[in-house]
Amino acid sequence: MPQTPIIQTKNLTKYYGKHLGIRNVNLEIYPQEIFGFLGPNGAGKTTTIRILLDLIRPTSGTATIFGLDTQKEIERIHEKIAYIPGELEFNKNWTGRRTIKHMLNLYNHAAKDSLIENFAQTLKVDLNKKVKEFSKGNKQKIGVILALAPDVELLVLDEPTSGLDPLIKNEFYKLLSEKQIQTKCTIFLSSHILSEVEKVANRVAIINQGSIIQVATLNQLQQLALKNIEIEFPTPDQAKKNLNKIPEKTARNLTQQTNTLNLLCSREDLHSVLSWLKDTNFKDLNVRNPSLEDIFLEYYRVQPYEKNSNNKERGEKQNVEITETVRTHKTRYAR
Amino acid sequence: MWKSQKLLELIKQDMLDKKWSLLGMGILIGLMGFYVISLISSLDFTQMQAYIESLPEALRAMLGGELDLANPYSLTNAYFYSFIWLYLGIFIIYITSSLIPQEVENHTIDLTLSKPITRIGYLTGKILFVYAFITAILAITTIFIALGMSTAPTFLEYGLHLDRLLAAFLLATLHLGTMASTSVFFSTVFLDTKKTTIASVVVMFIMFFIGDFSSLMNPILGETIQYASTWTYYNTAQVFGTGNFNSLPQNILILLAINIILSIASLVLFRRKDIPV
């Protein structure tokens, strides 16, 4: 029997006056998933999250969490959610401890003091200091404690590691994974740092200019048509000479670093690139799946090109693609 | 049960944040009331009445009439309760106008509203805090005035009427409450501290002019439009000044209704409002 999604949005659209926030966002996130939500600044990640939390109302479309309408039963939904906003701010005159206590007191089941102290120790943050004395990173740590301390079924994390140093970032993802294993909670993680999402997410959605352009598992995303090709030539001059001979429209993100050419190409174009290579005196060749970063950048590059096409048509086309992808994953996760 | 605990939590935190403002302003205005009473504690009201009667009738009307100055209660009202909007009203507007918009401007509201509390619950907490704040400030002030009255020879001679003080306290609470609820209403409209403060202060001055001057400027029209002002129902001159309680229940009900209507309008508006980033 198929599982009911924890989060489900149907054609979620938000306009801020005439300005588009998001358009026809369809998402289905299943229990115990760690779902990455990727996109550049202004892509619509925070808008989607704020609609899910009922901080803003959609222009059209619906959103449900735990099967409950986000506009009608938000208190019941919030009882089972912990959230870190993208722009995390607290009352500057409060201490870290007072901030955490106050926020957690709004839950019916408050977290234990010892748990809060443990998190504070692990994250190395002094809860007796006033928020105004905190660095951005330390404020973020308070947010992390607020997300991890309550006993909830869903974590909604909007850029949770921004401002954290690499060590604490790793600690955070470790704590997050532990929390997920212990409580089997679902995690909705928005970020633009792909390498971080890559570490923990099962599936990701890529959003750009308000529309979801892909929903896929990490493996699928990495195998999506694109290949990263690294060609080494004997000298930089030869590399430069060959750079102009690459078959037209096959290479993307073409760059030269001394005697090495680096490019992305679709799987379909792989044959023409390889047949061109036959006639060159390349020294070494490396073909690999691109990093998520490369795929992500590629999506950004493609989107402005599509901007001039009929928006409505584009939205509908994407919607069909997304529905297809979601259907595939629904089956996958509904076991 | 949980809902009331959450409301109390919200009110408690706001009270803790504003405790020094509350105590400071309560004591300051209380001392001011105490000072007013000490100024009139040795006045000869017979001589004063004779002097007022010698003034032209038009000037007497402008001063608020003989009624307002003929006894220590009337004089205290003229100097203190009539100007409570100035002493405390602007301060209350200042506090209330920033209460919600500041959380929006500081981006702290997102985190609060992502916790298990409805927007109605959140705003109700804020509204209840505002009334608790006003009540507490006026309670401190009233204690000082009661102390002043009980030690002033003029009041002791005239008779201690704590019922008048209690009625004035009630009316002042509701009067300041209308200013605060106007502010809460505008803050849910604009979600912006500056705009809310300006709109609330403008409305306050309009109400003041309609209530206090419309009948002087145009006796026929003014008589009617003065009822559009909340100042008309804040009639401490009658209640505190002369001990006439006839219109007190009616005035309390009207002020209470205005407070409730504005609060409900704010709740309805805030429930549907997008919280800006």
Side-chain angles (χ1 to χ4, degrees):
Chain A
M1 206 175 125
Q3 270 184 301
T4 317
I6 290 273
I7 297 176
Q8 185 170 42
T9 67
K10 285 183 183 163
N11 296 324
L12 211 56
T13 300
K14 175 71 183 175
Y15 277 91
Y16 299 101
K18 284 180 183 172
H19 173 73
L20 173 74
I22 52 169
R23 178 179 27 225
N24 293 330
V25 167
N26 290 298
L27 285 174
E28 285 189 351
I29 298 159
Y30 292 92
Q32 299 180 33
E33 260 195 285
I34 300 183
F35 190 90
F37 196 41
L38 302 170
N41 290 333
K45 299 188 299 286
T46 301
T47 298
T48 309
I49 288 174
R50 296 182 94 238
I51 290 175
L52 288 174
L53 294 164
D54 197 37
L55 295 169
I56 51 174
R57 297 281 161 97
T59 310
S60 62
T62 56
T64 57
I65 301 180
F66 308 114
L68 304 167
D69 190 321
T70 54
Q71 289 184 50
K72 290 176 186 157
E73 307 203 58
I74 200 62
E75 195 177 1
R76 281 177 68 195
I77 293 171
H78 283 174
E79 191 57 50
K80 299 189 232 174
I81 289 184
Y83 163 63
I84 304 183
E87 274 196 64
L88 187 59
E89 289 296 340
F90 307 109
N91 191 319
K92 289 181 173 56
N93 295 314
W94 290 16
T95 61
R97 182 168 278 105
R98 182 179 168 193
T99 305
I100 292 170
K101 280 251 176 193
H102 167 61
M103 291 294 170
L104 297 183
N105 276 345
L106 296 175
Y107 285 95
N108 288 349
H109 307 286
K112 282 181 186 166
D113 287 351
S114 57
L115 188 66
I116 297 166
E117 296 306 327
N118 280 347
F119 280 128
Q121 244 177 8
T122 311
L123 293 167
K124 297 181 182 67
V125 58
D126 181 0
L127 296 181
N128 295 320
K129 272 190 179 176
K130 284 194 174 179
V131 170
K132 63 182 169 194
E133 294 165 35
F134 281 159
S135 63
K136 191 176 186 297
N138 274 338
K139 273 198 259 180
Q140 204 67 21
K141 288 175 190 175
I142 301 288
V144 171
I145 297 174
L146 281 174
L148 298 180
D151 183 17
V152 291
E153 292 172 34
L154 171 66
L155 299 184
V156 179
L157 313 173
D158 192 1
E159 307 275 359
T161 55
S162 82
L164 294 182
D165 62 60
L167 281 175
I168 300 292
K169 264 183 199 175
N170 286 339
E171 198 59 56
F172 166 71
Y173 282 110
K174 200 177 133 201
L175 288 170
L176 194 66
S177 298
E178 279 172 14
K179 168 100 181 171
Q180 209 274 334
I181 292 163
Q182 277 168 15
T183 64
K184 309 250 182 296
C185 63
T186 309
I187 298 172
F188 184 61
L189 174 67
S190 133
S191 179
H192 63 269
I193 306 165
L194 306 173
S195 52
E196 287 182 22
V197 175
E198 217 169 5
K199 285 181 204 163
V200 286
N202 311 118
R203 276 199 305 150
V204 294
I206 294 179
I207 185 168
N208 197 18
Q209 294 181 4
S211 299
I212 301 242
I213 53 177
Q214 190 67 46
V215 181
T217 61
L218 281 177
N219 281 341
Q220 282 174 323
L221 203 62
Q222 282 164 344
Q223 284 160 20
L224 272 173
L226 294 175
K227 290 284 172 187
N228 192 312
I229 304 176
E230 204 178 87
I231 313 155
E232 195 184 329
F233 291 93
T235 63
D237 279 347
Q238 283 175 336
K240 197 178 176 183
K241 210 170 89 186
N242 282 297
L243 187 114
N244 301 319
K245 291 181 183 169
I246 295 177
E248 258 184 64
K249 291 180 184 171
T250 52
R252 302 170 190 179
N253 292 359
L254 183 62
T255 53
Q256 183 190 348
Q257 280 181 327
T258 60
N259 59 336
T260 305
L261 293 183
N262 215 306
L263 60 100
L264 282 177
C265 85
S266 70
R267 213 174 283 164
E268 293 130 27
D269 292 330
L270 207 54
H271 288 287
S272 57
V273 173
L274 290 175
S275 47
W276 159 73
L277 271 175
K278 274 195 303 189
D279 304 326
T280 64
N281 58 336
F282 72 92
K283 201 170 120 187
D284 200 3
L285 177 69
N286 194 352
V287 180
R288 58 180 171 83
N289 282 330
S291 71
L292 211 47
E293 201 81 42
D294 290 332
I295 298 169
F296 203 34
L297 287 171
E298 184 56 23
Y299 272 115
Y300 291 171
R301 199 183 67 82
V302 170
Q303 285 307 300
Y305 170 75
E306 291 183 351
K307 202 178 175 181
N308 294 331
S309 64
N310 183 314
N311 281 338
K312 197 181 168 210
E313 213 172 77
R314 185 173 67 115
E316 279 165 5
K317 188 179 156 221
Q318 280 171 354
N319 231 12
V320 173
E321 286 169 3
I322 292 155
T323 313
E324 284 305 315
T325 322
V326 166
R327 199 171 289 142
T328 315
H329 295 296
K330 193 173 173 181
T331 322
R332 173 184 280 257
Y333 277 90
R335 283 175 200 155
Chain B
M1 189 184 115
W2 284 112
K3 287 190 180 187
S4 57
Q5 277 185 359
K6 287 176 193 176
L7 274 183
L8 281 176
E9 171 67 24
L10 290 174
I11 298 167
K12 186 183 95 182
Q13 295 303 333
D14 278 331
M15 273 293 186
L16 285 171
D17 277 346
K18 304 277 188 296
K19 62 178 183 288
W20 296 119
S21 311
L22 191 154
L23 284 171
M25 209 59 185
I27 292 169
L28 184 76
I29 303 300
L31 284 172
M32 196 188 280
F34 192 86
Y35 178 66
V36 167
I37 288 171
S38 70
L39 279 181
I40 59 173
S41 64
S42 53
L43 279 181
D44 182 351
F45 282 94
T46 332
Q47 216 177 21
M48 197 165 170
Q49 196 167 350
Y51 168 71
I52 289 165
E53 276 169 7
S54 70
L55 293 173
E57 203 175 319
L59 190 61
R60 282 212 314 259
M62 223 178 92
L63 288 171
E66 200 177 317
L67 184 74
D68 284 350
L69 303 165
N71 67 63
Y73 286 93
S74 295
L75 210 58
T76 306
N77 178 64
Y79 280 113
F80 188 75
Y81 281 113
S82 294
F83 289 102
I84 203 87
W85 66 274
L86 193 66
Y87 304 146
L88 275 175
I90 292 172
F91 172 71
I92 295 293
I93 286 175
Y94 165 75
I95 292 283
T96 316
S97 294
S98 61
L99 209 57
I100 301 155
Q102 212 166 55
E103 291 206 20
V104 175
E105 288 155 11
N106 295 343
H107 308 291
T108 52
I109 197 165
D110 273 27
L111 201 61
T112 310
L113 289 182
S114 73
K115 299 287 165 272
I117 185 152
T118 57
R119 290 197 191 190
I120 289 189
Y122 169 82
L123 190 61
T124 305
K126 295 287 178 191
I127 291 171
L128 290 177
F129 156 72
V130 169
Y131 286 107
F133 187 79
I134 293 170
T135 310
I137 283 194
L138 283 172
I140 296 170
T141 306
T142 304
I143 289 168
F144 276 92
I145 292 174
L147 276 172
M149 281 164 61
S150 57
T151 52
T154 43
F155 277 92
L156 292 173
E157 197 180 306
Y158 192 86
L160 266 181
H161 298 291
L162 292 178
D163 51 344
R164 294 188 190 187
L165 189 63
L166 191 68
F169 166 73
L170 206 59
L171 277 175
T173 307
L174 291 170
H175 183 50
L176 292 173
T178 59
M179 292 176 211
S181 51
T182 306
S183 227
V184 170
F185 175 74
F186 281 126
S187 64
T188 56
V189 172
F190 299 121
L191 296 177
D192 178 288
T193 307
K194 264 189 199 168
K195 286 180 188 171
T196 304
T197 312
I198 292 168
S200 309
V201 170
V202 167
V203 168
M204 186 187 75
F205 275 104
I206 290 172
M207 288 288 159
F208 166 65
F209 279 110
I210 293 175
D212 276 14
F213 292 105
S214 60
S215 55
L216 289 176
M217 287 190 285
N218 187 333
I220 301 161
L221 187 66
E223 197 64 36
T224 316
I225 65 162
Q226 70 172 345
Y227 290 106
S229 166
T230 49
W231 257 252
T232 306
Y233 310 104
Y234 173 66
N235 197 356
T236 47
Q238 244 180 22
V239 175
F240 189 76
T242 65
N244 179 355
F245 290 85
N246 288 343
S247 55
L248 181 68
Q250 181 196 319
N251 288 342
I252 284 176
L253 280 177
I254 292 169
L255 287 173
L256 197 63
I258 293 167
N259 277 284
I260 291 170
I261 289 166
L262 282 168
S263 298
I264 290 173
S266 308
L267 289 167
V268 170
L269 212 64
F270 189 64
R271 200 174 150 255
R272 304 288 314 168
K273 197 94 179 166
D274 278 0
I275 306 296
V277 181

